[in-house]
């Protein structure tokens, strides 16, 4: 009786119309020379590579490790060119479709449509979960509607905290980039950690008594839905561009801070398109307005991405150091030491521009520019082996260790505000 199970697993990720990636590969190259860099950039022009790390070919330089996804039709030519030019490479995914399917390796959980913390939940399941959290824990959780996405889906912040007073608060968002599925999984995990810890864990109780958490489990909902129904590798939101057939603005390039400058592109077909204007997108506007309307209380901003295992802080748009850079470095260091105490996961930290790559119009820089002193971007597991396709079997460990880091930051914020 294998058949029903096969049906389930086939429908679990996406419906028949969905893009398939049979024969596509993800390649990791070690770039040594300027010639190598030129080669990759010209290959990008010809074959339109999908960069996984860094996020675009404009960022690559000698001595860098670069991961990108290539179409099945181009693999032979590309691998030949790499060999011919003595670029050292490794194949991370021989068949991307197989990688996408391997990601859902908690097959036992997959048989049910129910919400589970250690599987990837689709958007409808996450919405139902949020309502349920609010109704079952009405003493701690309230839903706040902050406006709709481009396609009209309501964006809902979970306000988690005991007091109704506007005490110090932390804003955290997950899923700015649609394909980084571990990120929304973490926001859901963290909400449970808070509500279930309240009655049995002194530390959580203290946090929830004195702090408010504003948690947005999926910022880019339209993009997230699209990764489930059409294209697992989608990153941006889903608004159409003017004068172009391409869709999507990179929401982490659309905030009103040094907008559309370094590490962004004004070309709508790129993955780092900054949008028509600063905060032109519904999703960015809604988040910015919510934060502005709670600016007096929000002391920390945390944005959860994947992958690379990093804690980053401002600035992103310049290599200059932020005024409290040293303090942000010390907080990151403390958070990482907590995080790695559990499974020895290695993280690095530093100012965003020099630690990962410069970007402009990013949410962390924007929050910082509004006076939120403690502004961080997390890049969760892994360092590239599975990349955006982190298997479900790693959700639990990833979320447990990340929880330690966020709690560390929350405690710090509480004792310094
Ligand atoms: N990976 C994310 C991106 O490409 C973050 C890069 C670092 N930038 C930042 N502002 N923290 O948008
Ligand atoms: Zn991201």
């Amino acid at each position: 009786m294998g058949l029903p199970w096969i049906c389930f697993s086939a429908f679990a990720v996406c419906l028949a119309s969905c893009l398939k990636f049979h024969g596509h590969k993800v390649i990791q190259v070690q770039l040594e020379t300027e010639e190598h860099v030129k080669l990759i950039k010209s290959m990008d022009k010809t074959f339109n590579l999908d960069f996984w790390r860094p996020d675009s070919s404009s960022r690559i330089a000698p001595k860098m490790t670069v991961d990108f996804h290539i179409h099945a039709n181009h693999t032979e030519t590309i691998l030949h060119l790499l060999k011919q030019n003595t670029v050292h490479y490794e194949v991370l995914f021989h068949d991307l479709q197989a990688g996408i399917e391997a990601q859902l390796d908690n097959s036992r959980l997959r048989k049910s449509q129910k919400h589970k913390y250690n599987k990837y939940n689709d958007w409808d399941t996450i919405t139902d979960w949020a309502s349920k959290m609010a109704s079952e824990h009405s003493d701690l959780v309230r839903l706040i509607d902050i406006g709709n996405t481009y396609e009209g889906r309501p964006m809902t912040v979970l306000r988690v905290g005991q007091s109704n007073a506007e005490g110090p608060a932390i804003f955290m968002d997950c899923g700015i980039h649609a394909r980084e599925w571990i990120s929304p999984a973490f926001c859901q995990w963290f909400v449970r950690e808070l509500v279930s810890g309240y009655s049995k864990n002194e530390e959580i109780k203290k946090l929830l008594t004195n702090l408010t958490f504003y948690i947005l489990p999926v910022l880019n909902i339209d993009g997230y839905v699209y990764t489930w129904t059409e294209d697992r590798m989608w990153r941006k939101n889903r608004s159409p561009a003017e004068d172009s057939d391409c869709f999507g603005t990179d929401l982490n390039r659309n905030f009103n801070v040094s907008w559309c400058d370094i590490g962004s592109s004004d070309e709508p077909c790129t993955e780092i398109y900054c949008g028509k204007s600063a905060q032109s997108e519904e999703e960015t506007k809604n988040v910015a307005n919510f934060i502005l309307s709670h600016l007096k209380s929000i002391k920390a901003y945390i944005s959860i991405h994947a992958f690379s295992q990093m804690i980053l802080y401002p600035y992103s748009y310049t290599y200059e150091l932020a005024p409290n850079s040293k303090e942000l470095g010390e907080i990151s260091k403390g958070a990482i030491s907590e995080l790695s105490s559990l499974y020895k996961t290695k993280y690095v930290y530093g100012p965003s521009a020099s630690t990962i790559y410069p970007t402009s119009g990013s949410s962390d820089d924007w929050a910082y520019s509004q006076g939120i002193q403690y502004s961080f971007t997390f890049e969760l597991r892994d360092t590239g082996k599975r990349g955006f396709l982190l298997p479900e079997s790693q959700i639990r460990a990833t979320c447990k260790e990340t929880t330690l880091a966020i709690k560390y930051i929350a405690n710090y914020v509480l004792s310094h505000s």
Side-chain angles (χ1 to χ4, degrees):
M1 285 305 287
L3 201 58
W5 188 86
I6 292 169
C7 289
F8 254 120
S9 63
F11 282 96
V13 195
C14 62
L15 303 166
S17 64
C18 183
L19 251 183
K20 294 286 187 267
F21 297 92
H22 297 291
H24 288 223
K25 293 192 191 313
V26 178
I27 309 290
Q28 178 167 88
V29 295
Q30 306 294 341
L31 302 180
E32 297 299 337
T33 62
E34 282 295 347
E35 273 61 49
H36 290 171
V37 173
K38 274 195 206 128
L39 173 73
I40 302 295
K41 288 191 179 185
S42 83
M43 289 199 317
D44 184 29
K45 279 217 185 77
T46 321
F47 302 112
N48 190 21
L49 308 177
D50 167 28
F51 281 83
W52 281 27
R53 187 181 56 154
D55 60 359
S56 108
S57 70
S58 63
R59 300 259 55 89
I60 65 176
K63 300 281 169 213
M64 230 188 208
T65 306
V66 177
D67 304 350
F68 52 83
H69 151 209
I70 58 183
H71 195 283
N73 298 346
H74 306 141
T75 51
E76 219 178 299
T77 320
I78 289 175
L79 295 185
H80 177 75
L81 279 169
L82 292 175
K83 275 184 214 139
Q84 203 176 37
N85 290 274
T86 64
V87 180
H88 182 263
Y89 73 87
E90 209 182 302
V91 180
L92 297 178
F93 285 94
H94 288 275
D95 181 72
L96 189 55
Q97 188 60 34
I100 290 174
E101 280 152 27
Q103 174 201 230
L104 305 175
D105 59 350
N106 273 353
S107 56
R108 203 169 41 82
L109 301 176
R110 203 122 290 293
K111 285 186 204 162
S112 119
Q113 298 288 335
K114 279 215 279 282
H115 180 272
K116 287 278 186 303
Y117 288 97
N118 51 355
K119 78 173 191 192
Y120 294 119
N121 298 295
D122 65 15
W123 173 242
D124 289 340
T125 311
I126 297 175
T127 327
D128 292 348
W129 161 85
S131 315
K132 211 166 141 223
M133 290 311 268
S135 60
E136 285 177 2
H137 306 276
S138 53
D139 51 331
L140 289 177
V141 183
R142 240 179 47 213
L143 302 183
I144 307 173
D145 198 331
I146 66 166
N148 287 356
T149 64
Y150 173 75
E151 291 177 348
R153 297 184 176 90
M155 297 170 70
T156 309
V157 165
L158 286 87
R159 180 198 189 279
V160 190
Q162 188 212 37
S163 72
N164 284 314
E166 279 278 273
I170 294 180
F171 182 94
M172 178 164 82
D173 59 60
C174 290
I176 286 195
H177 289 139
R179 62 189 176 184
E180 301 164 6
W181 281 12
I182 186 61
S183 166
F186 174 69
C187 267
Q188 294 161 64
W189 185 285
F190 189 70
V191 169
R192 175 183 63 176
E193 195 72 24
L194 293 177
V195 297
S196 72
Y198 183 72
S199 54
K200 51 179 199 242
N201 176 310
E202 277 309 311
E203 187 195 9
I204 301 271
K205 181 160 191 145
K206 184 176 158 225
L207 286 176
L208 290 183
T209 309
N210 299 295
L211 261 183
T212 302
F213 290 88
Y214 293 114
I215 299 174
L216 181 57
V218 185
L219 193 154
N220 176 11
I221 307 168
D222 298 347
Y224 187 69
V225 168
Y226 197 74
T227 60
W228 279 80
T229 56
E230 302 290 336
D231 176 356
R232 176 64 186 83
M233 291 304 134
W234 193 258
R235 164 184 168 96
K236 303 184 283 180
N237 78 345
R238 289 295 305 162
S239 74
E242 280 167 7
D243 311 319
S244 161
D245 292 333
C246 288
F247 278 75
T249 291
D250 183 345
L251 298 176
N252 209 26
R253 303 292 183 279
N254 188 241
F255 281 85
N256 192 10
V257 57
S258 192
W259 176 77
C260 214
D261 193 357
I262 188 167
S264 291
S265 168
D266 58 6
E267 164 49 52
C269 297
T270 64
E271 295 291 3
I272 52 171
Y273 176 49
C274 57
K276 287 188 267 297
S277 57
Q279 280 158 217
S280 55
E281 303 309 297
E282 295 304 314
E283 297 83 359
T284 356
K285 241 185 300 202
N286 293 338
V287 168
N289 287 340
F290 178 81
I291 291 178
L292 288 176
S293 67
H294 293 77
L295 204 51
K296 272 213 208 78
S297 58
I298 297 178
K299 303 297 173 202
Y301 171 83
I302 302 174
S303 191
I304 307 287
H305 288 250
F307 57 95
S308 287
Q309 294 175 195
M310 292 175 174
I311 299 182
L312 306 164
Y313 47 84
Y315 296 117
S316 236
Y317 66 85
T318 167
Y319 288 101
E320 260 170 55
L321 293 183
N324 64 339
S325 182
K326 203 164 155 257
E327 185 186 18
L328 293 172
E330 270 151 24
I331 302 171
S332 304
K333 193 173 162 193
I336 289 171
S337 107
E338 281 290 309
L339 183 152
S340 57
S341 68
L342 207 49
Y343 309 110
K344 300 194 165 50
T345 307
K346 287 203 171 64
Y347 261 65
V348 297
Y349 67 93
S352 193
S354 56
T355 308
I356 185 163
Y357 41 73
T359 66
S360 52
S362 295
S363 62
D364 49 2
D365 276 349
W366 177 80
Y368 192 76
S369 77
Q370 298 306 307
I372 300 175
Q373 296 256 354
Y374 303 118
S375 180
F376 299 94
T377 292
F378 277 62
E379 296 279 358
L380 304 186
R381 289 192 194 185
D382 57 14
T383 53
K385 190 167 185 297
R386 304 298 195 108
F388 303 119
L389 302 174
L390 194 74
E392 285 179 323
S393 52
Q394 286 195 44
I395 294 177
R396 184 185 149 84
T398 306
C399 292
K400 282 181 83 168
E401 67 189 9
T402 310
T403 296
L404 296 181
I406 303 294
K407 280 200 294 195
Y408 180 90
I409 295 178
N411 280 312
Y412 185 94
V413 169
L414 186 56
S415 58
H416 290 79
S417 56

